[in-house]
Amino acid sequence: MALPPQLKPIQHHLRTAQEHDKREPVVAYYCRLHAMQTGMKLDSKTPECRKYLVKLMDQLEMMKKELSDNESISQEIVGNAHIENYALKMFLYADSEDRSGHFHKNMIKSFYTSSLLFDVLSVFGELSDENIQHRKYAKWKAAYIHNCLKNGETPQPGPIGMEGEAYDDEFGAEVGGPSQEPQNLPHSQPSFHGHPSNQPPVSNFSNIQIPPGSHAPANTPAEVPHPEAEPVKPVPVPRTMPVVDPSLLNNTQEGDMRLTPEDFTRAQKYCKYAGSALQYEDVGTAIQNLQKALMLLTTGKE
């Protein structure tokens, strides 16, 4: 069924859902959920729009049943962390390629898709200031690099002034084709382990903050090596274990302190980030996130 013209603003989120149906069904589900919620606000009364949205609702119900055993669907807080981590992973890959001066369609697509996934986070509530900045930067960067390459110009790597570049439907349509879909993010993805010295330089876009553990989204398969590569046995890397602050372990909640629902949500997200990091055996990041959760639960502060 063709998308009615009145619902054109949701076309890119629906395309992203289609691209992720097989390899990331959770991402596909929440992209469609966002599209449906946005579509209801755009036009739910015109017969053709109503018919389209009802069909989309049916598709969502079917997906929800198929994925009922998946915690990212059954528990909203887990779903939120899953989409946020996935969006940040795509953002970090594109940002690393950009800062290295590697401009290509796959990195443009990754910037653009990450901006759409930051949109999708609105199904869980208001976006954080950090994610609003990520979305704005990713959308602008994708359009800027796309237009430079289209006009035969060399883009400037890294954050620069954002004036004068506008996102347009033509750009979205051009990067949305299946031929440019990033099937697996290349091996050069950065792995930032939560320490400030490991973060990319932020230049003029100083407010971007990457949560520790965001490089390891939950349920993301490990990268598959190129077939021509010789098998290499992994070499154990000695780890320096961060010291857990003893004061955190002895802290008890103060009598007058009352944790808000937002505090519990943030604590759960830190625990989720820690779980994601452990999937990649990143002990340091896991401990840092658990310490943040413990600090928040015992003092009400971060």
Side-chain angles (χ1 to χ4, degrees):
M1 183 179 176
L3 183 71
Q6 302 95 310
L7 301 180
K8 189 179 177 185
I10 67 174
Q11 65 180 340
H12 302 308
H13 297 92
L14 290 172
R15 184 186 288 125
T16 302
Q18 232 173 353
E19 291 169 355
H20 287 81
D21 269 329
K22 291 184 179 177
R23 71 180 192 276
E24 275 288 341
V26 170
V27 172
Y29 173 81
Y30 283 113
C31 282
R32 287 195 176 94
L33 182 59
H34 172 77
M36 188 200 71
Q37 291 179 351
T38 306
M40 294 289 286
K41 293 173 187 172
L42 290 169
D43 187 344
S44 61
K45 295 180 180 176
T46 308
E48 58 177 339
C49 290
R50 191 171 185 82
K51 188 177 178 183
Y52 188 92
L53 291 170
V54 166
K55 187 180 176 184
L56 188 55
M57 284 181 204
D58 291 341
Q59 189 177 9
L60 279 164
E61 280 303 311
M62 189 171 66
M63 289 185 77
K64 195 170 185 178
K65 285 178 184 174
E66 289 172 356
L67 299 169
S68 58
D69 293 340
N70 193 313
E71 283 189 350
S72 295
I73 300 297
S74 59
Q75 297 182 39
E76 192 174 277
I77 185 70
V78 181
N80 189 348
H82 184 98
I83 300 300
E84 187 173 28
N85 278 349
Y86 192 83
L88 284 167
K89 183 178 183 181
M90 297 200 86
F91 179 92
L92 286 170
Y93 159 66
D95 187 55
S96 174
E97 289 290 277
D98 173 43
R99 292 172 193 273
S100 303
H102 301 147
F103 305 110
H104 50 85
K105 289 179 179 178
N106 204 33
M107 64 91 76
I108 295 172
K109 174 79 179 206
S110 292
F111 261 138
Y112 179 59
T113 302
S114 72
S115 75
L116 296 176
L117 293 176
F118 287 122
D119 284 340
V120 170
L121 286 172
S122 65
V123 304
F124 304 105
E126 287 187 24
L127 267 63
S128 67
D129 290 341
E130 290 84 1
N131 285 337
I132 290 171
Q133 288 179 344
H134 279 88
R135 177 178 64 181
K136 182 181 178 183
Y137 182 73
K139 195 168 286 191
W140 166 76
K141 257 294 180 181
Y144 165 71
I145 297 169
H146 169 77
N147 289 335
C148 283
L149 297 182
K150 187 178 177 181
N151 298 328
E153 300 167 5
T154 304
Q156 283 184 256
I160 52 177
M162 287 195 285
E163 295 79 10
E165 288 296 328
Y167 164 79
D168 55 41
D169 284 332
E170 177 200 358
F171 162 71
E174 287 189 33
V175 299
S179 62
Q180 294 159 26
E181 176 188 346
Q183 294 292 342
N184 282 311
L185 300 184
H187 298 251
S188 58
Q189 286 181 66
S191 181
F192 302 131
H193 295 285
H195 191 279
S197 62
N198 291 332
Q199 298 292 345
V202 290
S203 185
N204 296 330
F205 214 72
S206 56
N207 290 327
I208 286 185
Q209 306 250 333
I210 308 297
S214 61
H215 59 286
N219 304 323
T220 300
E223 301 299 330
V224 181
H226 291 296
E228 65 270 19
E230 288 293 322
V232 179
K233 291 184 180 178
V235 180
V237 180
R239 293 193 180 101
T240 54
M241 298 293 288
V243 179
V244 179
D245 184 354
S247 64
L248 289 179
L249 302 175
N250 300 326
N251 254 336
T252 53
Q253 290 192 12
E254 298 165 19
D256 321 349
M257 193 197 55
R258 293 287 180 272
L259 293 173
T260 66
E262 290 75 20
D263 291 333
F264 286 111
T265 299
R266 285 203 302 277
Q268 287 182 64
K269 287 182 77 170
Y270 283 132
C271 292
K272 182 63 184 173
Y273 287 139
S276 294
L278 286 174
Q279 288 189 343
Y280 283 65
E281 299 183 4
D282 184 357
V283 178
T285 297
I287 289 176
Q288 286 170 9
N289 279 283
L290 291 171
Q291 282 181 322
K292 286 189 176 185
L294 190 57
M295 173 71 79
L296 184 59
L297 293 173
T298 54
T299 68
K301 298 173 185 175
E302 292 185 66

